[in-house]
Amino acid sequence: MTRVVYRTCTLCEACCGIEVHVEGERITAIGGDKRDPSSHGYICAKARALKDLHEDPDRLRYPMRRAGSEWQRVSWKEAFAYATDGIRAAQRAHGDAAAAIYLGEPMVHNLDALLFADTLVAALGTQKRFSANSLDQFPKQLVSHWMYGSGLFLSVPDVDRTDYMLIIGANPVVSNGSLMTAPGMPARLRRIQQRGGRVVVIDPRRTETAKLADEHYFIRPNTDGLLLAALIQCLFGEGRVRLGKLGSFAEGLEVVEKAVAEFTPEAVSESVGIEPETMRAIARAFSDAPSAVCYGRMGTSTVPFGTTTTWLIEVLNSVSGNLDRPGGAMFPKPPVDVTSLQPPTQRGRWRSRTRGVPEFMGELPAVTLAEEIETPGDGQVRALVTFAGNPVLSSPAGHRLSEALDKLDFMVSIDLYLNETTRHAHIILPPLGPLERDHFDVAFQLFSVRNTAHWSPAVFDAPRDARSDGDIVLALASRLYWARGGSGRVQAAVPRTLLALGSARASRIVLDVALRAGPYGNGLRPWRPGLTLERLCRAAHGVDLGPLEPCLPERLPARSDRKQRRIDLAPAEIVADLVRLRRSLTHQPPDLVLVGRREARTVNSWSHNLPSLVSGPSRCVLSMHPADAAARGIGPGDWVRVSSRVGAVEVPVRVTESVMRGVVALPHGYGHGGEGIRLHVAAEHAGASCNDLTDPAEIDPLSGNAVLSGVPVRVDRCPPC
Ligand SMILES: Nc1nc2c(c(=O)[nH]1)N[C@H]1C(S)=C(S)[C@@H](COP(=O)(O)OP(=O)(O)OC[C@H]3O[C@@H](n4cnc5c(=O)[nH]c(N)nc54)[C@H](O)[C@@H]3O)O[C@H]1N2
Ligand SMILES: Nc1nc2c(c(=O)[nH]1)N[C@H]1C(S)=C(S)[C@@H](COP(=O)(O)OP(=O)(O)OC[C@H]3O[C@@H](n4cnc5c(=O)[nH]c(N)nc54)[C@H](O)[C@@H]3O)O[C@H]1N2
Ligand code: SF4
Ligand SMILES: [Mo]
């Protein structure tokens, strides 16, 4: 007999509703759930790979302890004891600061991991927390922290109502959207055009999104800040600035006007590579449209001007009257309102030991992890926990991090696979697969273009003696507290209680309380109607909570400074950074720079072991413009050596006009060829890691975010063998 389970796909930020058809213990089909209030049946090719993931013989199913290069199965009890002893031994010898943790992206797609990860961080008693956030969207969070008062209160484009969408450095047709939960972006973009609106893309590549757009302009990498400053300057210059209702609670408009005054289209045109008249036309069209929104992502975030560029996007939306209004940039109202449940976000309470970069939201930049391990002195990292992360492939100079990991006294990985990072661990603690646990998306509803809620029941019971991510972190946290003997006794009671319940029950209780206390709940008054977990469980396809609504200033997060419930349009730290932006006008651009390229059937570094996603020709190829190829005697399909300040890789070339001259593009997440990994399918599609080229010395100085785009490289044809 076939049963159907409706749930949310956890593979990317689109959070599509899927239906999983099961006969006995076998998945017979995975399709889109037409009744999902957000995705309406849309899925991409990756959803079906959840079956491959569920069945993958390489997926680890029991704890494994390393002895030299051999791995031995151990019981959970032994595993937790060994992990705790290893971490505590390093801390006893070198202090609590000798332990660090790295949290990876899939953690955010996992309810109990997200709820309980902080318990583990607290139990480690260290300020050395790293995550994929600083390889990704830290600039957006920092801008929101400074402008609106919280690094969790982010504006998203109201794609379904906008009349003009300016997309800078994002490729949602392939990535399925990021910091914008909007499944089925191709159709949503087409609908903008069908209602008479325009889609304009700015990207050094002619992307799949650009192909769908009304206009596409190539731009020199990392010059978007200049372009945006010029667009805003045009609005001021032509008297087009209108704050609307923001006028009564936004400060700093005059500072912005002064700050952008010198960035005229003429002044920036040569650096940016776009004609002044084109910039003016974009500014006018943006301003004339009944509603308009500018949306930027990886291409505006993971660059040396990440924070300043991201701020300029927010400013463009604000001064054109498009912040917090339908069709502009709006603020979702999620069922679990994380912003109001948490204390205000903070920055600068401590600094990175090696570079002095300030912590933000409790984290230090991921690019500093390797040097924290290698630099001797007080606080040198000797023990590391990686949790759902693969920093060897995902962070700059991953090959150097790989060497650094071998120098650790002790390493624990909580992960599904024995891969490029976890092979360095002394012990791997593997959690349940995504279909073996319940799920509710807490994180991505913060960025959803429509307010919805969806409870996802587990498709399969957890196998005997298996643990969820939540169970693992709680068990480890609890043992670490008690191993510290005496200290932290109060906190120790928390994981103990949760442990007794099991993380699945505990997370349901926490979620139910959060829903009741949330904007659609009953205010914790049971006699009143409102959203509860029970109600969600009855709505198999999820519930629709309506379109985004204007909500300022009422929903501006409480903050600790004098700017309570005000918008700071001109944070001093960012305005000061415009000096650096101005100086960049005189920089000679490098001959050739590397940018990223996401491919439709990938999930960062960890999907290449799923057979349905790797069939066909290799995708780890370098895209290069015909003129750049010809100048180096390179032909289609040739193998080339790409080298940067920090390393070199060899890959085949695709000669294509889809990248602009002076730019080459390579996808990230490849490089599975090393010794000691257990990824049989991925090893046959190994490719090379573009993070062996990206440079950890380069960061966005304000947020500490990694620079993954615009890396100066040299490309030489490999001699024929
Ligand atoms: N050059 C370059 N580098 C990049 C990027 C880029 O565009 N260019 N993109 C950056 C971005 S945006 C991101 S978000 C980061 C991602 O960086 P990371 O999060 O460090 O890397 P992932 O590739 O997502 O690896 C996720 C790991 O989690 C494991 N995993 C998967 N599901 C689960 C689970 O449910 N539980 C547990 N415990 N483990 C699980 C996988 O096996 C894998 O080891 O990469 C960044 N790196
Ligand atoms: N298929 C697939 N989907 C994914 C992922 C995946 O690995 N594969 N990863 C997920 C994750 S973790 C994230 S964070 C999102 C990211 O989502 P997106 O940001 O939409 O995805 P990217 O493909 O990184 O798009 C960045 C674009 O910026 C361009 N770019 C690079 N440098 C510059 C620049 O200096 N200026 C401008 N204007 N453009 C530039 C690149 O050419 C690229 O087209 O995708 C998510 N979705
Ligand atoms: S777009 Fe993302 S969430 Fe939707 S089916 Fe594909 S991988 Fe899953
Ligand atoms: Mo990401």
Side-chain angles (χ1 to χ4, degrees), residues 321-496:
N322 284 297
L323 187 74
D324 195 39
R325 76 143 169 190
M330 301 190 78
F331 296 91
K333 187 159 77 174
V336 174
D337 192 2
V338 181
T339 320
S340 66
L341 290 173
Q342 298 221 342
T345 49
Q346 298 199 57
R347 176 176 182 268
R349 287 162 295 172
W350 58 88
R351 284 175 179 267
S352 122
R353 186 175 66 97
T354 47
R355 289 194 214 187
V357 186
E359 88 32 75
F360 176 46
M361 294 176 68
E363 295 190 21
L364 293 171
V367 293
T368 62
L369 176 57
E371 65 202 38
E372 285 283 355
I373 298 170
E374 290 187 321
T375 311
D378 245 11
Q380 180 177 6
V381 171
R382 314 270 186 159
L384 175 70
V385 180
T386 66
F387 183 13
N390 192 4
V392 166
L393 292 192
S394 62
S395 60
H399 55 311
R400 291 196 186 158
L401 176 63
S402 180
E403 286 165 22
L405 295 180
D406 276 334
K407 297 179 187 147
L408 289 165
D409 292 355
F410 196 73
M411 176 169 160
V412 183
S413 289
I414 306 169
D415 205 287
L416 298 172
Y417 287 106
L418 172 49
N419 65 17
E420 302 75 17
T421 295
T422 62
R423 75 186 174 92
H424 298 277
H426 293 83
I427 185 140
I428 306 179
L429 308 170
L432 296 171
L435 300 181
E436 295 164 338
R437 54 174 159 81
D438 299 334
H439 180 61
F440 177 84
D441 196 280
V442 172
F444 296 105
Q445 276 159 358
L446 295 172
F447 321 127
S448 186
V449 303
R450 186 161 182 104
N451 299 311
T452 61
H454 197 321
W455 171 255
S456 299
V459 178
F460 299 102
D461 291 338
R464 260 195 70 220
D465 202 31
R467 302 282 197 280
S468 69
D469 279 295
D471 292 332
I472 295 170
V473 289
L474 287 174
L476 205 52
S478 168
R479 281 169 177 79
L480 281 166
Y481 280 131
W482 291 101
R484 296 165 87 99
S487 72
R489 265 176 193 281
V490 180
Q491 300 99 307
V494 181
R496 283 233 144 179

Side-chain angles (χ1 to χ4, degrees), residues 225-241 256-268 276 279-280 283 312 315-316 319:
L226 295 170
L227 167 71
L228 283 153
L231 296 180
I232 297 166
Q233 192 278 334
C234 290
L235 297 186
F236 278 106
E238 297 188 7
R240 290 171 174 273
V241 168
V256 173
E257 180 170 12
K258 252 178 82 188
V260 298
E262 61 191 303
F263 296 96
T264 60
E266 287 71 20
V268 305
M279 293 188 221
R280 288 192 200 286
L312 287 161
V315 169
L316 177 60
V319 302

Side-chain angles (χ1 to χ4, degrees), residues 9 11-12 14-16 42-44 46-47 176:
C9 173
L11 291 178
C12 92
C15 300
C16 301
Y42 173 85
I43 48 166
C44 79
K46 288 185 282 184
N176 283 296

Side-chain angles (χ1 to χ4, degrees), residues 8 26 151 155 163 169 176 255 274 316 325 351 354 428 431 501 558 569-570 582 586 658 661 671 677 683:
T8 302
R26 218 168 51 85
S155 69
D163 299 292
N176 283 296
V255 184
I274 298 178
L316 177 60
R325 76 143 169 190
R351 284 175 179 267
T354 47
I428 306 179
L501 288 170
L569 282 175
R582 188 187 324 118
T586 57
S658 69
R661 268 192 89 162
I677 63 169

Side-chain angles (χ1 to χ4, degrees), residues 1 63 73-74 160 260 301-302 320 351 357 429 437 512 622 643 690 699 714:
M1 207 186 69
R73 177 176 183 165
V74 290
D160 293 344
V260 298
S301 187
T302 59
S320 60
R351 284 175 179 267
V357 186
L429 308 170
R437 54 174 159 81
D512 189 39
L622 185 81
S643 43
C690 83
I699 54 171
R714 203 194 135 98

